[in-house]
Each structure stands twice: as C-alpha cells, then as structure tokens.
Amino acid sequence: MDSTKLLYLEHSDVLENTAKVVSVEKDGERDVIVLEATIFYPQGGGQPYDQGVMQSNGATFLVEEVRFVDGIVRHIGKFEHGTFAAGQEVACTVQKDRRQLHSRLHSAGHVVDLGVTSLGLKWIPGKGYHFPDGPYVEYAGDVENADKEKLKADLEAVCNKVIAEDRKTTLQFMEKDKLHEVCHFVPDYIPEGKPTRVVFYGDFAVPCGGTHVGRLSEIGHMAIRKIKTKGGNIQVAYDVDR
C-alpha cells in the first residue's frame, strides 16, 4: 500500500476536501478508513489528532481518532449510516474549533522557543506537549538560581510582543542535512516516513510537522503559567486565551 499523502503539511487551513478511499477495515469494534490523501492530522509531535466526519452517498463516518502507522494514516471511528467501498470518493470535514485550538497551542509552543532565544537563555529545546489540558515545553538547562517569577514575566512579555508583530507563518520542505542551515536548533531525532518540513515565523525557523496558525496574531494573548524544574529539565507551562 502506498503511503498516505499528507495534505495538512502544506495546507493547515484546509478543513474540507474530497478524497478517494483506499480501504475500509475493522479494528475490534471500530472501523478504520484509509484514504489516498488526508487533511486530518494524526496524533504526534505533541499535538492531538483531529476529529471530524466523512460522507458519501448517504453514508456517514465519524472520525474519532487519527493515527500514523508505517506511512499510512488510519482514520478510526464508526459509521453512523451506511459504509464506504475502496475507490469511492468521500467528502471530508475536519472539526474546525478543535483544529484551530490545537494549531494555536502548537504555534504558541514555538513562540516560547522564540522567546527563550530572544532572552539569550542557553536552554536546549526538548519535547513539547501542546494538548489543551496543560501545554508545556521542556528544555535542558539550569534555573536553580534564577528569579523564576521575573523570568516568567519577561518570557510572557517577549512572547506577546512577538505575537503582536503578527509574523507570517511560512513553510519550506528540505533535506534533513540542510536543517542546520536555517533552524536555530535541530533535534537528534526527526520522525521517519514524513517529508521534512521547516516552519518559519519571520526568520525564526523550527523543524515541525504539526499544524500552525497562518499569522501569529491568530494565537491571541498567551500566558506563561509556570517555570519549574522537573525530571532534571526546565518545564515551561503556557496557555492561550480560550
């Protein structure tokens, strides 16, 4: 089976399209739809999966979960009416509010990186958790002797200053060995099976395969909730207005 074409990588703002069904199968009590190409984001990179609906000829499939496995995007859920067949064209709709919140939170996590860099902090970026229930980003570094409340206020101020500049988000696909030429930091591990993409906020670049806002003003006001040390790492908890 050919890999699923990941349309969301190029067009985070596209929430409706039509796509051809490759297969329909069962996974326990749930159904799994594979499409030739998808606008649905599969969970990964610290960002939750999309949800939504597929429809065709009176059949309705509720997309409850989306996963990426060995190059294939699996749309997991249940048929509300009817069923699909391989080769059938289906109309796909991503749940708008959920996607927009996830994009705002993911972009805000990278704005924290931008803020850390702007403040001249010698922290090394680690994992990010961009879920709505308590987003944070982690860094290797030391804050034991720092005034954490002042640092929190300074970081929040610079993040909101960057958002107010309304930088445009641009995307560029490139070979992995070129990432160091444009990104301020490149992690040791870059996921396999997906095109390597760089997200630019103005001239600030990070390798990332998630969905993002088109302009940073779409994030709205963001807050730095807490800066603490956890598991030997610095954890910066943040949020956006809901």
Side-chain angles (χ1 to χ4, degrees), residues 113-189:
D113 287 340
L114 203 164
V116 165
T117 302
S118 296
L119 291 173
L121 301 171
K122 305 301 183 184
W123 300 352
I124 300 172
K127 72 176 181 179
Y129 180 84
H130 311 297
F131 284 60
D133 64 345
Y136 64 84
V137 285
E138 287 189 350
Y139 301 89
D142 181 25
V143 290
E144 289 305 314
N145 298 317
D147 182 338
K148 293 188 182 65
E149 286 304 309
K150 182 180 185 305
L151 186 56
K152 182 166 75 76
D154 289 347
L155 184 55
E156 182 173 309
V158 74
C159 286
N160 283 297
K161 179 178 180 294
V162 168
I163 290 171
E165 293 172 359
D166 196 23
R167 299 187 186 189
K168 183 179 180 180
T169 303
T170 57
L171 308 173
Q172 185 176 338
F173 294 88
M174 63 180 62
E175 298 297 324
K176 291 179 183 178
D177 59 4
K178 300 292 185 182
L179 293 176
H180 290 279
E181 297 177 10
V182 297
C183 299
H184 82 292
F185 175 78
V186 178
D188 293 333
Y189 173 71

Side-chain angles (χ1 to χ4, degrees), residues 70-133:
D70 297 329
I72 304 299
V73 176
R74 294 165 57 84
H75 306 82
I76 305 165
K78 60 186 178 184
F79 282 98
E80 191 173 53
H81 307 290
T83 190
F84 301 149
Q88 188 172 349
E89 290 281 343
V90 297
C92 303
T93 304
V94 173
Q95 191 181 102
K96 181 178 180 180
D97 291 347
R98 179 182 175 93
R99 163 66 76 81
Q100 287 182 337
L101 176 58
H102 293 168
S103 296
R104 291 173 63 218
L105 288 170
H106 201 146
S107 292
H110 290 315
V111 169
V112 174
D113 287 340
L114 203 164
V116 165
T117 302
S118 296
L119 291 173
L121 301 171
K122 305 301 183 184
W123 300 352
I124 300 172
K127 72 176 181 179
Y129 180 84
H130 311 297
F131 284 60
D133 64 345

Side-chain angles (χ1 to χ4, degrees), residues 3-56:
S3 297
T4 308
K5 182 174 176 57
L6 309 177
L7 300 176
Y8 63 81
L9 281 177
E10 298 182 55
H11 306 287
S12 290
D13 58 338
V14 174
L15 303 180
E16 295 184 5
N17 82 332
T18 58
K20 184 176 290 186
V21 174
V22 173
S23 66
V24 181
E25 55 190 72
K26 279 285 189 181
D27 183 5
E29 294 298 313
R30 297 198 291 175
D31 297 289
V32 180
I33 308 298
V34 175
L35 305 173
E36 285 188 352
T38 188
I39 56 173
F40 288 89
Y41 183 79
Q43 187 161 303
Q47 179 177 330
Y49 48 72
D50 284 332
Q51 294 180 330
V53 64
M54 299 179 192
Q55 296 176 306
S56 181

